[in-house]
Amino acid sequence: MTLNQVFQISPASPVEEISQAGRVAPFSLYIHVPFCMRRCGYCDFNTYTASDLGGGASRDNYANLAVQEMVLVKQWQEEQGIKEPALSTVFFGGGTPTILPAHDLISILSAARDIWGICEGAEITTEANPDTVDSNYIHQLADGGFTRISFGMQSAVPSVLATLDRTHTPAHVESGVRAAQKAGLRTSLDLIYGTPGESLDQWEVSLRAALDLGVTHISAYALTVEPHTAMGRRISRGQLPAPDDDDQAEKYRLAERMLTDAGLSWYEVSNWALPGDESRHNLGYWHNIDWAGIGPGAHSHYNFQPLRAWDIAHPRAWAQTMTDDKRVPWQGQENISPSENLEEAILLGVRIRDGLSLDLTDSLAVRQGLEPLDESVIHDLESEGLVTVTTEPRILTPTLNGRLLNDLVIERLFNAYKV
């Protein structure tokens, strides 16, 4: 089964085209939990370390607030005439979702089931820091309806973890994965490569450790350093070396080789999985389906209009908006223009193994009065070994080099369509 068959849609398809084909696009839910025990030095996410931020925004009350927002979102959908199917995936991200008691996550999931319904066989995932869960916690999640857990491993090398300001140990990762496997949960590990001071051999140690745990999904992300983070400031002061592009490229190639040899296939630039164990939730993002984002700073996307929206970032203001104004706590929203729709189709399609539908992008371009893609552009990308292109249907897929130079491929396609 291909990834497209999982969703029964073509790459980056607009919902209107799915509807014309008589198929129903999936609907997903993302719950952002904005709390952490401490902020890692490289972290640029919308997270907070205080347990109580005032205005009702506390860890203890967070589950109630998340449910309150879900109710408001459902009301908004009904007012707009949006009729979503039962949820096909639910994903708890952060921050650190597992900083909350397991029963809080389960109560949020139960409310989602009551509000929208959950499909049979749905994928229910939470991210977890390895030092915030134990066997009892994980078994509670499994009994409460979760099907998948994604551990933030990052590295198996203690010195690299220290540079990243991570508090867990490799032993925490192993015990968490073993407990999840015993509970019948699918398991994934997140890794980071290119940490200042990390050698190629150390990166190989981390990859080998992840594979030895027998997980069915691995994400490997190149470290990106934002200047205002603690790590960014250390680099600017010369206390740490900046990540090196060539070093990260070499580490990506090593990951591709080792993960492929172990039977995991890439399906998105930073993600590898055994066949059938791809993250269906993340695939939903890359296939541009509808999803509702719950929690401070969470983003939502609807093919109605089409529209994207984002929540108020600070938990206290987010909570007070729901309490005082009785409305969905969006900071802002915008309609996605036809040109932005074309941009997103290219951005998303070039990242995934299922590839970019050139017939779709040509169609989107013509609707704007633009010319279809010049075939010479495709020929040049192919001759440079950056993409492969099939015919009937015309699907462009990045090669290994194309994944390493993904931004370049996207830029050239943008320029070709004059986006």
Side-chain angles (χ1 to χ4, degrees):
M1 178 178 290
T2 68
L3 304 187
N4 290 330
Q5 289 170 321
V6 171
F7 285 103
Q8 299 183 13
I9 59 178
S10 56
S13 295
V15 159
E16 69 225 38
E17 298 192 11
I18 300 165
S19 300
Q20 291 169 4
R23 293 169 288 182
V24 178
F27 175 53
S28 291
L29 180 67
Y30 172 77
I31 298 100
H32 181 67
V33 179
F35 299 106
C36 283
M37 294 297 292
R38 59 175 291 178
R39 176 176 287 276
C40 299
Y42 62 91
C43 180
D44 188 41
F45 296 153
N46 186 42
T47 63
Y48 303 83
T49 56
S51 61
D52 189 342
L53 296 167
S58 68
R59 294 181 197 170
D60 291 342
N61 193 40
Y62 191 75
N64 294 328
L65 291 170
V67 172
Q68 184 177 350
E69 183 176 6
M70 288 193 291
V71 170
L72 291 170
V73 167
K74 176 63 172 178
Q75 291 173 353
W76 175 85
Q77 290 174 343
E78 291 174 347
E79 291 168 359
Q80 301 300 319
I82 299 173
K83 296 181 180 179
E84 298 288 7
L87 292 160
S88 60
T89 71
V90 180
F91 193 102
F92 290 74
T96 306
T98 49
I99 203 172
L100 301 181
H103 62 75
D104 279 3
L105 302 187
I106 294 166
S107 69
I108 296 171
L109 178 61
S110 177
R113 183 178 290 106
D114 293 339
I115 293 167
W116 285 289
I118 295 179
C119 294
E120 182 179 354
E123 177 188 87
I124 315 296
T125 304
T126 186
E127 294 179 335
N129 276 10
D131 55 356
T132 61
V133 297
D134 57 19
S135 179
N136 179 59
Y137 189 108
I138 289 169
H139 276 80
Q140 286 183 64
L141 293 181
D143 292 342
F146 283 77
T147 66
R148 187 173 180 274
I149 187 164
S150 178
F151 291 99
M153 176 180 176
Q154 318 311 1
S155 176
V157 179
S159 63
V160 176
L161 290 172
T163 301
L164 293 170
D165 288 330
R166 301 292 289 188
T167 57
H168 70 267
T169 67
H172 285 135
V173 177
E174 181 173 6
S175 62
V177 169
R178 297 302 182 208
Q181 292 168 336
K182 186 175 181 180
L185 296 175
R186 290 166 54 204
T187 53
S188 175
L189 293 176
D190 284 0
L191 298 174
I192 290 177
Y193 59 91
T195 298
E198 179 192 56
S199 68
L200 186 64
D201 288 343
Q202 287 175 324
W203 173 234
E204 183 173 359
V205 166
S206 294
L207 288 167
R208 178 54 55 202
L211 289 170
D212 287 347
L213 289 173
V215 298
T216 59
H217 186 286
I218 291 177
S219 301
Y221 301 105
L223 179 67
T224 300
V225 179
E226 299 296 338
H228 59 274
T229 61
M231 179 176 284
R233 291 190 291 271
R234 292 179 68 191
I235 289 173
S236 68
R237 291 193 296 262
Q239 296 171 331
L240 288 175
D244 178 80
D245 289 344
D246 291 338
D247 172 71
Q248 290 187 332
E250 188 175 9
K251 287 172 179 172
Y252 185 91
R253 290 182 183 277
L254 179 61
E256 167 70 8
R257 184 166 63 252
M258 290 181 64
L259 297 177
T260 300
D261 288 347
L264 281 69
S265 300
W266 84 278
Y267 69 96
E268 190 275 340
V269 167
S270 299
N271 290 272
W272 291 258
L274 291 179
D277 277 339
E278 298 87 359
S279 168
R280 286 157 48 196
H281 184 85
N282 286 338
L283 277 170
Y285 295 148
W286 298 317
H287 283 275
N288 239 2
I289 70 168
D290 283 11
W291 71 83
I294 302 298
H299 284 232
S300 300
H301 175 270
Y302 294 95
N303 281 285
F304 158 81
Q305 289 185 348
L307 171 76
R308 77 172 125 249
W310 51 96
D311 275 24
I312 295 168
H314 196 280
R316 182 174 59 250
W318 168 80
Q320 288 176 337
T321 296
M322 290 188 290
T323 302
D324 298 343
D325 300 341
K326 303 295 190 292
R327 67 173 178 84
V328 179
W330 285 349
Q331 178 72 48
Q333 65 184 79
E334 62 182 0
N335 292 332
I336 302 170
S337 69
S339 63
E340 289 171 328
N341 201 14
L342 175 57
E343 287 180 24
E344 291 186 2
I346 294 171
L347 280 167
L348 297 170
V350 174
R351 290 190 64 86
I352 56 177
R353 185 179 68 207
D354 274 358
L356 173 66
S357 168
L358 297 176
D359 294 330
L360 171 64
T361 52
D362 278 354
S363 173
L364 293 173
V366 168
R367 292 180 195 178
Q368 299 177 63
L370 302 175
E371 293 295 324
L373 190 65
D374 187 336
E375 288 299 319
S376 67
V377 175
I378 301 301
H379 175 76
D380 289 345
L381 289 170
E382 282 186 294
S383 64
E384 293 168 33
L386 297 176
V387 304
T388 60
V389 181
T390 62
T391 56
E392 303 300 331
R394 296 163 62 235
I395 303 294
L396 178 149
T397 306
T399 62
L400 175 56
N401 284 339
R403 283 182 267 156
L404 286 167
L405 298 172
N406 207 252
D407 289 346
L408 174 63
V409 175
I410 290 169
E411 180 184 1
R412 288 170 66 173
L413 290 170
F414 276 5
N415 290 338
Y417 278 115
K418 298 182 175 60
V419 172

